[in-house]
Amino acid sequence: MKRKKAYIAGKISGLAIEEYYGRFGQAESIVEDMGYTVLNPLKIVPHWLDYEDQMSICLTLVDICDVVYMQSNWWNSN
């Protein structure tokens, strides 16, 4: 049986790199423990792309996922 995929969403802009990597890492562990294959944008999307290109990739990832795990700060994300 194919495992379902989960995308992790959350705030990155304006946070220190240690903070958002820590938050996304915690979320990844939680979602893996729930039995999903995790699509963590911090591990997939090249950081050197401009914002619009990064978001294009992120939206494609969301489109192929079964669920989106929304971190508590998602509402404050661009």
Side-chain angles (χ1 to χ4, degrees), residues 12-13 17 20-21 40-55 57-58:
I12 294 174
S13 299
I17 190 170
Y20 64 77
Y21 266 95
N40 181 342
L42 296 182
K43 294 183 175 180
I44 300 169
V45 180
H47 69 278
W48 47 265
L49 289 174
D50 64 29
Y51 179 79
E52 289 77 20
D53 290 340
Q54 289 176 348
M55 288 310 300
I57 294 169
C58 288

Side-chain angles (χ1 to χ4, degrees), residues 50-70:
D50 64 29
Y51 179 79
E52 289 77 20
D53 290 340
Q54 289 176 348
M55 288 310 300
S56 178
I57 294 169
C58 288
L59 292 173
T60 299
L61 293 173
V62 168
D63 192 45
I64 65 170
C65 284
D66 300 290
V67 298
V68 176
Y69 179 86
M70 311 288 267

Side-chain angles (χ1 to χ4, degrees), residues 4-11 24 27-28 30-32 34 36-41 55 57-75 77:
K4 292 191 175 201
K5 297 177 293 298
Y7 177 86
I8 301 172
K11 180 177 175 63
F24 275 76
E28 185 171 1
I30 291 167
V31 175
E32 282 176 342
M34 295 168 71
Y36 289 94
T37 297
V38 178
L39 292 162
N40 181 342
M55 288 310 300
I57 294 169
C58 288
L59 292 173
T60 299
L61 293 173
V62 168
D63 192 45
I64 65 170
C65 284
D66 300 290
V67 298
V68 176
Y69 179 86
M70 311 288 267
Q71 296 182 64
S72 61
N73 66 357
W74 71 269
W75 59 268
S77 175

